[in-house]
């Protein structure tokens, strides 16, 4: 799976993060459904914006981009986005890019002009097949100079940009220069995943021309299909409008944190909207997401403090858990229908709450509920509140203590007193005082 990564000249905004989060959910869903995933995400650390940024800051390209690479990874962590297997930097794959250009030149798909190399779009019979772009609508055959580069045809796009005075540059058979953005993704995708791979993702704004050009370059060079499945996430808008600095509705994750936002709720909010729908970010929506999480947290809390009975009646949790995992998986397998997957979760929560209210939990049910929640949280990544605590807690969290007490009670019920004592000793060593009462075990920190 290849996922177009950030251009590291600024801090990602929440619209960028929506796409990265969708890709994270896709990745986790594929694993949930039994696939193995190898994901590549490129870091575009050379292009017009990074070069301009470095020049105005008076530093090298590497010095300029590194802080943005760091903040990008920090933002991934803040939203609990799992890491890809590979984060190749464009500047470290110039050799692969030159090879690809060379292959295109040799096959007649590319030509040099004034130190730059262009893709000859008229040679590519099926150009436009991804986006439905109709090439014949664009004037052709007209010799133009755009961006100070001479092209044979206005529609041709650049593979290699000859260096201008003072720009960072790499040597090539056509003179010093740097790769074009589209080329970068083709070269790095094929390097890590092979000439044909399964999935390529990005935002809808990547479809044309970026992904169209990736297909053109890759398939013209190899004669093979480049990608089996393209998946694109829709835009994020804010209060119903396009996000823009001039409207004052432009947010990075840090901006939201500065306003006291809960990023766990943001992840939930993003999850709850299907990736092919526009996501309308509002602070009210964020509060609703927080309320939904609270319902989940409350159920978990009640569960940990509920009692289990030994009665002969069948557990209602066993079929409820099976139904949850079945429906959850089916929803994800149906074009990543996350809202339906969440609906399945809330159906399960209702059943668990009913079982707690009716005091019908059977021995082992508490563990079954926690296991089912842990399974779906492999995709959702929002259910474990402790994972989202920003303050570093020394020792055990409240929930870990609760879980140990559950385990201690289960050990005692199974007459495994050695394990029960071991847990008490572990808690005592952490300064946790236990008090056994007729209604259960209470604890407090010393
Ligand atoms: Zn790309």
């Amino acid at each position: 799976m290849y996922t177009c990564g950030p251009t590291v000249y600024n801090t990602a905004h929440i619209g960028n993060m929506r796409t990265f989060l969708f890709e994270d959910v896709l990745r986790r869903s594929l694993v949930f459904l039994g696939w193995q995933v190898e994901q590549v995400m490129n870091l575009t650390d050379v292009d017009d914006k990074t070069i301009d940024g470095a020049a105005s800051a008076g530093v090298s390209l590497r010095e300029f981009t590194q802080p943005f690479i760091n903040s990008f990874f920090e933002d991934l962590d803040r939203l609990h986005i799992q890491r890809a297997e590979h984060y190749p930097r464009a500047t470290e794959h110039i050799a692969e890019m030159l090879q690809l250009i060379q292959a295109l030149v040799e096959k007649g798909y590319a030509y040099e002009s004034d130190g730059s190399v262009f893709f000859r779009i008229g040679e590519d019979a099926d150009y436009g097949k991804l986006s439905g772009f109709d090439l014949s609508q664009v004037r052709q055959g007209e010799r133009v100079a755009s961006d100070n580069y001479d092209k044979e045809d206005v529609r041709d796009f650049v593979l290699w940009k000859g260096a201008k005075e003072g720009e960072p540059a790499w040597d090539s058979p056509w003179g010093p220069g740097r790769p074009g953005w589209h080329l970068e993704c083709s070269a790095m995708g094929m390097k890590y995943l092979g000439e044909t791979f399964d999935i390529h993702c990005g935002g809808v704004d990547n479809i044309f021309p970026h992904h169209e050009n990736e297909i053109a370059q890759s398939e013209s060079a190899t004669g093979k299909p480049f990608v089996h499945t393209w998946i694109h996430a829709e835009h994020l808008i804010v209060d119903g409008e396009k996000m823009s600095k001039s409207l004052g509705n432009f947010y990075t994750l840090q901006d939201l944190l500065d306003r006291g936002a809960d990023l766990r709720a943001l992840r939930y909010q993003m999850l709850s909207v299907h990736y092919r729908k526009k996501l309308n970010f509002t602070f009210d929506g964020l509060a609703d997401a927080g309320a939904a999480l609270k319902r989940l947290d409350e159920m978990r809390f009640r569960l940990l403090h509920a009692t289990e009975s030994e009665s002969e009646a069948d557990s209602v949790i066993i079929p409820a858990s099976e139904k949850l995992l079945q429906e959850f998986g089916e929803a994800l397998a149906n074009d990543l229908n996350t809202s339906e997957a969440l609906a399945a979760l809330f159906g399960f929560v209702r059943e668990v709450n009913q079982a707690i209210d009716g005091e019908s939990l059977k021995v082992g049910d508490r563990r079954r509920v926690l296991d089912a929640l842990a399974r779906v949280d492999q995709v959702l990544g929002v259910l474990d509140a402790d994972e989202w605590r920003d303050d570093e807690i020394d020792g055990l969290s409240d929930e870990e203590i609760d879980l140990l007490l559950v385990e201690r009670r289960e050990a005692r019920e199974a007459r495994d007193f050695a394990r029960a004592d071991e847990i008490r000793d572990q808690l005592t060593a952490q300064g946790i005082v236990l008090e056994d009462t007729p209604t259960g075990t209470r604890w407090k920190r010393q």
Side-chain angles (χ1 to χ4, degrees), residues 2-5 42 44 181-186 200-202 206 210-211 214 230:
Y2 188 91
T3 46
C4 288
N42 62 301
T44 300
W181 173 46
H182 313 304
L183 183 86
E184 170 193 323
C185 286
S186 284
H200 195 315
C201 301
N206 289 147
H210 184 48
H211 289 165
E214 281 188 42
W230 292 86

Side-chain angles (χ1 to χ4, degrees), residues 115-377:
S116 293
V117 182
F118 296 93
F119 185 85
R120 189 173 272 137
I121 222 162
E123 284 295 309
D124 184 17
D126 59 3
Y127 186 88
K129 65 182 174 181
L130 177 69
S131 60
F133 180 78
D134 185 357
L135 209 51
S136 66
Q137 296 301 304
V138 184
R139 283 179 303 161
Q140 49 180 299
E142 191 177 314
R143 199 166 175 93
V144 289
S146 75
D147 292 340
N148 303 324
Y149 300 109
D150 267 347
K151 298 196 257 187
E152 285 178 4
D153 185 325
V154 66
R155 306 169 306 175
D156 294 347
F157 62 88
V158 71
L159 300 171
W160 183 259
K161 289 188 172 187
K164 293 182 209 153
E165 188 63 36
E167 283 183 349
W170 289 262
D171 286 333
S172 86
W174 312 281
R178 59 191 160 90
W181 173 46
H182 313 304
L183 183 86
E184 170 193 323
C185 286
S186 284
M188 297 197 285
M190 291 196 283
K191 167 169 180 170
Y192 289 94
L193 301 173
E195 292 179 339
T196 300
F197 53 88
D198 291 318
I199 299 174
H200 195 315
C201 301
V204 284
D205 51 323
N206 289 147
I207 297 173
F208 183 84
H210 184 48
H211 289 165
E212 203 69 75
N213 290 353
E214 281 188 42
I215 295 172
Q217 298 156 161
S218 308
E219 299 192 351
S220 298
T222 67
K224 296 176 188 163
F226 177 45
V227 167
H228 292 310
T229 305
W230 292 86
I231 314 179
H232 295 96
E234 252 296 349
H235 284 136
L236 175 145
I237 53 177
V238 175
D239 294 323
E241 294 189 88
K242 190 174 155 46
M243 186 166 62
S244 78
K245 284 190 172 145
S246 58
L247 285 174
N249 65 358
F250 183 97
Y251 300 112
T252 63
L253 291 186
Q254 187 60 50
D255 295 334
L256 294 186
L257 285 173
D258 292 345
R259 286 168 158 247
D262 175 9
L263 296 187
R264 182 182 172 218
L266 179 65
R267 180 175 171 102
Y268 183 94
Q269 188 184 18
M270 288 184 170
L271 277 173
S272 65
V273 179
H274 191 259
Y275 74 92
R276 282 192 288 104
K277 290 205 176 100
K278 282 200 171 68
L279 191 156
N280 186 21
F281 172 83
T282 64
F283 282 96
D284 284 348
L286 194 61
D288 290 346
L293 286 172
K294 197 154 176 244
R295 286 206 297 283
L296 294 164
D297 292 345
E298 274 166 11
M299 182 275 269
R300 185 185 283 256
F301 182 82
R302 295 182 70 218
L303 178 77
L304 292 173
H305 295 86
T307 45
E308 295 179 328
S309 81
E310 304 248 17
S311 88
E312 297 294 311
D314 288 341
S315 161
V316 293
I317 297 301
I318 294 174
S321 306
E322 283 168 1
K323 182 162 156 263
L324 167 65
L325 295 177
Q326 176 76 19
E327 290 178 356
F328 189 83
E330 280 171 6
L332 296 176
N334 181 16
D335 194 19
L336 218 61
N337 194 335
T338 45
S339 39
E340 205 149 283
L342 287 172
L345 173 62
F346 277 97
F348 177 69
V349 167
R350 215 160 30 242
E351 291 189 71
V352 173
N353 276 327
Q354 278 166 9
I356 296 170
D357 292 340
E359 297 184 7
S360 60
L361 290 181
K362 301 293 175 294
V363 171
D365 276 351
R366 195 182 295 111
R367 178 64 50 195
R368 290 184 190 106
V369 172
L370 294 174
D371 287 350
L373 292 177
R375 277 287 281 137
V376 300
D377 203 37

